Amino acid sequence: MKPQQDLLNIISEEPIPVTEIDIKVLAEIYDEKDIYLSVYLPVSGRENEHLNRIFVESRVKAIKKALSSELRSEFEKNFEMVEPYILEEPISGEKGRIIFACSSESFLHVYRLAVEPEQSLVLDTSPFLLPLARLRADYDDYGMLLVDSREARFVCIRSDLAEEKKHLSTDLMNKHKKGGWSQMRFNHLRKGAIKSFLSEVAENVRGTCDQLQTRGLIIAGPGDAKQQLMDLLPQDIRQSIIGVIDVSMDISRDELVEEGDSVLHENELSRSGKRAAEFKNALLRGGLAVYGVENVKSALEQARVNVLLILKGSSVPGWICERCQNLQANVQPPEECDRCGGLTSVVDVVEELYELAQRTGAEVEFVEKEDFLDSDDVVGALLRY
């Protein structure tokens, strides 16, 4: 499928969250020939600049050597499109860069990120999305509510980019001056004012969460206000809380992101562990689950997969015919497809299964090494039926 005309050129002028990259649209793009160039680079610091030059020169040389004269010319045109962006100095806050290009389709996407991808330079029949998928798995959007008895700040953290969305505060001492009151009455009024303020915060949380559509919410701050606020939150919002942490209200933004990312990482491990356990149980009981490349591929082609599980860091060599989508793992590509006679391309089969999951609406979960997912069987699936 060719790229949509209104999406041929996307060049970000500032760092963006990885979740802003429309991976589903990119997964729909493919061609029969290797005409799409994908580049992933960490760009912050002089050391990365030097290492990137060495890496890119090595990959360009290797790719040219493997191509026919026709495709070599196409690759060179692609590389001319991306080279200025490979060499360009990083802008403020930019730590990584992803580039997709295809000269024959006048297609160029340049994404500046606040996180670092691993180096990759791939020529394929479609944009190479597996490194992006892994980044998205590591950097989900989440909300951070920093609260005490006087102040509340709602910060949205997206791929290590922190943006304050709402700030509420109250001056309890000026609202309730002690002036001659007994200490007991003063404390009673102050507690009432705190509860009133936290009730206002709770009302604002729902609207802010609905607007941002974040993965979950972390409640942070000093003292007891966090627990008081949680008691006031609606049940559905409480269920979205992924962690509660003690921090100072004057914590720096970088430290806030670091604390939040640590909680999110633990939550991700817990979630992927639950998915892996669900997968194991389904297999042991003969339920709706399959594993192994061939079984998972067949289920994806039939749109039966609800959740695709991929072993982190895995890859499987193979080939694909872009004309009929015949995909074969762990074998060398023939000169032409044995089904339709179309051209074949060397691919990472895990990448192709991921793209197929995107096209069929399946959820994707990257999991740690599990009993049923190992170096021989790197993918599994929970089925819809």
Side-chain angles (χ1 to χ4, degrees):
M1 175 178 169
K2 292 183 179 295
Q4 300 174 28
Q5 286 295 315
D6 59 340
L7 296 174
L8 287 178
N9 283 273
I10 297 177
I11 301 176
S12 63
E13 299 299 331
E14 59 184 9
I16 64 169
V18 292
T19 47
E20 275 194 15
I21 304 175
D22 197 332
I23 202 166
K24 189 169 184 180
V25 168
L26 291 169
E28 297 284 347
I29 300 170
Y30 58 88
D31 193 273
E32 290 191 24
K33 297 181 179 179
D34 293 322
I35 59 173
Y36 284 91
L37 180 60
S38 304
V39 184
Y40 294 78
L41 296 172
V43 298
S44 60
R46 289 294 178 187
E47 183 179 357
N48 274 331
E49 180 182 348
H50 174 67
L51 294 174
N52 286 342
R53 286 181 181 274
I54 296 173
F55 170 76
V56 170
E57 288 174 4
S58 173
R59 288 294 297 136
V60 167
K61 183 178 180 180
I63 290 173
K64 283 183 177 180
K65 187 175 182 180
L67 293 175
S68 65
S69 57
E70 177 189 358
L71 287 179
R72 188 181 303 122
S73 175
E74 183 69 33
F75 170 71
E76 288 172 347
K77 292 175 184 177
N78 284 349
F79 189 72
E80 285 178 11
M81 292 179 71
V82 305
E83 188 172 20
Y85 297 99
I86 288 175
L87 302 176
E88 188 177 59
E89 288 284 326
I91 62 175
S92 177
E94 183 184 10
K95 295 181 180 178
R97 195 171 298 162
I98 300 175
I99 310 169
F100 303 119
C102 176
S103 63
S104 61
E105 298 291 347
S106 301
F107 177 87
L108 178 63
H109 286 202
V110 180
Y111 300 104
R112 307 177 194 279
L113 309 176
V115 295
E116 291 192 353
E118 293 184 9
Q119 289 177 326
S120 181
L121 193 153
V122 174
L123 186 69
D124 201 352
T125 54
S126 61
F128 186 62
L129 301 178
L130 199 55
L132 173 57
R134 289 169 177 151
L135 276 179
R136 287 171 67 98
D138 289 338
Y139 294 98
D140 244 336
D141 298 348
Y142 63 96
M144 178 83 80
L145 182 58
L146 190 61
V147 62
D148 66 5
S149 60
R150 296 170 177 270
E151 181 183 9
R153 291 160 46 203
F154 195 104
V155 179
C156 184
I157 300 177
R158 309 177 66 199
S159 306
D160 284 358
L161 294 170
E163 181 180 353
E164 187 165 319
K165 294 295 184 180
K166 188 156 289 189
H167 187 182
L168 300 172
S169 63
T170 185
D171 191 339
L172 300 176
M173 296 308 293
N174 286 336
K175 282 187 178 181
H176 299 281
K177 294 181 180 178
K178 186 173 180 181
W181 293 340
S182 69
Q183 186 68 43
M184 183 179 296
R185 175 154 176 76
F186 176 76
N187 290 340
H188 177 73
L189 290 171
R190 187 175 184 279
K191 287 179 181 178
I194 291 172
K195 184 174 181 180
S196 176
F197 170 65
L198 293 176
S199 296
E200 180 187 359
V201 173
E203 289 176 7
N204 278 272
V205 167
R206 177 186 288 282
T208 307
C209 286
D210 289 346
Q211 176 189 357
L212 297 174
Q213 296 182 335
T214 54
R215 156 76 182 284
L217 180 65
I218 297 173
I219 307 292
D224 300 328
K226 301 187 295 299
Q227 186 57 54
Q228 294 178 54
L229 175 65
M230 289 175 62
D231 292 341
L232 295 169
L233 291 173
Q235 182 64 25
D236 59 328
I237 298 296
R238 272 186 275 178
Q239 289 176 345
S240 73
I241 293 174
I242 58 179
V244 180
I245 55 176
D246 287 306
V247 298
S248 168
M249 290 298 289
D250 59 1
I251 186 173
S252 71
R253 188 156 293 194
D254 287 346
E255 289 175 316
L256 189 65
V257 170
E258 185 177 345
E259 292 281 354
D261 282 354
S262 177
V263 173
L264 186 68
H265 178 66
E266 291 299 320
N267 183 265
E268 289 283 355
L269 290 177
S270 175
R271 186 177 71 166
S272 64
K274 288 177 181 177
R275 283 297 196 191
E278 184 182 351
F279 171 67
K280 285 182 187 179
N281 289 336
L283 281 176
L284 291 171
R285 297 178 183 182
L288 293 173
V290 294
Y291 69 97
V293 169
E294 290 302 320
N295 291 331
V296 170
K297 176 171 72 77
S298 176
L300 282 166
E301 289 170 344
Q302 298 167 36
R304 295 172 55 214
V305 175
N306 185 36
V307 182
L308 172 65
L309 292 93
I310 300 175
L311 183 66
K312 285 185 177 180
S314 61
S315 65
V316 176
W319 61 269
I320 193 171
C321 171
E322 291 295 342
R323 180 185 297 174
C324 70
Q325 296 295 287
N326 181 14
L327 178 64
Q328 301 295 326
N330 295 312
V331 291
Q332 290 294 317
E335 290 187 7
E336 60 182 34
C337 175
D338 53 11
R339 286 186 189 171
C340 71
L343 294 174
T344 63
S345 298
V346 174
V347 293
D348 181 343
V349 174
V350 175
E351 158 81 5
E352 299 300 322
L353 295 179
Y354 174 81
E355 291 185 14
L356 192 51
Q358 289 293 317
R359 294 171 197 158
T360 55
E363 182 185 340
V364 179
E365 191 75 56
F366 289 90
V367 300
E368 302 292 338
K369 188 171 183 179
E370 300 292 338
D371 293 342
F372 292 100
L373 290 183
D374 53 31
S375 57
D376 295 321
D377 297 303
V378 300
V379 291
L382 291 164
L383 306 179
R384 297 180 174 124
Y385 60 91

